[in-house]
Amino acid sequence: DDPSNASFYPFAAYSPEWVAARWALAKGRSLAFIDLPAAQRLAEIAADKAALAAAETAPPEAANAEPVDAIPQAAEPEPGASASAVGEPDPAATIAARIHHDSLGYLAEIAGYDDSEAWWNALIEQGAHGPAVFAAIETAMTELRALADAMPWTSPRNHAHEARREAHMRLAIAAALEEAEGAIAVVCGAWHVPALRRKVSAAEDRALL
């Protein structure tokens, strides 16, 4: 009904998810998607669009209703307040927003690269291969998430969505470990690794979901 509210995930021959899926099928191994179903996010977006449309057609007396995912406006400065104290962005919030938006880009900048693609090519595509480099990325991402998770998110709703995604993944991994004989492999974005390593009770994750 609404093509604009859809997801499109193209895979290349080298896409990690595609490679893992093809390997599992060729070897006769179990394979499962563990991320929060896309329908959840699409439903949230649809609800937001419906609420926005309703607000636009609402009578004038309802115009003061708080919009979806509203961002609080800055208060008027007190008389005599210094100019430097008014309207300055919070440095911590700015850093947190950058990390949440593009964590690899933030690491690339720290490493002295102009963009994350160049950094990733130098580190992964054209550099070291094997488990050691992934362990290094996990260490870097663990430190970065410790920094970012201690800061407020620009959008609490996005934070809640990410928390639900990771709760869903932890529960799916736990279920796979119970069913599998031996080790399992998880293919995921580096950002999620620290959260998937954390010890969280299944009850807590289910409550979040």
Side-chain angles (χ1 to χ4, degrees):
D1 296 334
D2 183 8
S4 67
N5 187 20
S7 294
F8 177 55
Y9 291 102
F11 289 126
Y14 52 80
S15 297
E17 302 90 344
W18 182 254
V19 172
R22 296 298 303 172
W23 184 93
L25 290 171
K27 301 290 185 179
R29 303 295 179 86
S30 298
L31 177 72
F33 292 101
I34 64 171
D35 207 339
L36 191 69
Q40 299 286 334
R41 186 60 165 169
L42 298 182
E44 290 177 0
I45 295 172
D48 289 349
K49 293 177 74 172
L52 185 60
E56 290 175 347
T57 58
E61 60 269 17
N64 291 327
E66 185 177 357
V68 174
D69 207 17
I71 300 176
Q73 300 299 311
E76 288 295 321
E78 298 245 349
S82 63
S84 62
V86 177
E88 288 186 355
D90 181 1
T94 301
I95 292 173
R98 289 170 60 200
I99 294 174
H100 294 144
H101 176 69
D102 185 6
S103 55
L104 291 180
Y106 190 77
L107 287 175
E109 182 180 325
I110 293 173
Y113 286 82
D114 293 333
D115 64 86
S116 58
E117 288 292 336
W119 173 72
W120 189 259
N121 285 337
L123 184 69
I124 302 296
E125 305 297 345
Q126 301 163 2
H129 294 279
V133 70
F134 291 104
I137 292 171
E138 178 178 349
T139 298
M141 197 59 69
T142 299
E143 293 296 326
L144 196 61
R145 280 211 64 164
L147 173 66
D149 289 348
M151 299 176 178
W153 279 58
T154 304
S155 170
R157 298 188 65 211
N158 285 344
H159 185 202
H161 178 72
E162 283 298 290
R164 288 195 295 272
R165 287 183 65 196
E166 290 171 345
H168 190 276
M169 286 189 267
R170 281 191 295 264
L171 289 173
I173 291 170
L177 285 169
E178 288 184 0
E179 297 172 2
E181 294 181 1
I184 66 170
V186 177
V187 180
C188 69
W191 171 261
H192 299 295
V193 174
L196 302 186
R197 294 271 195 211
R198 271 196 304 119
K199 300 297 183 183
V200 181
S201 70
E204 184 178 344
D205 278 337
R206 282 195 290 267
L208 184 60
L209 290 170

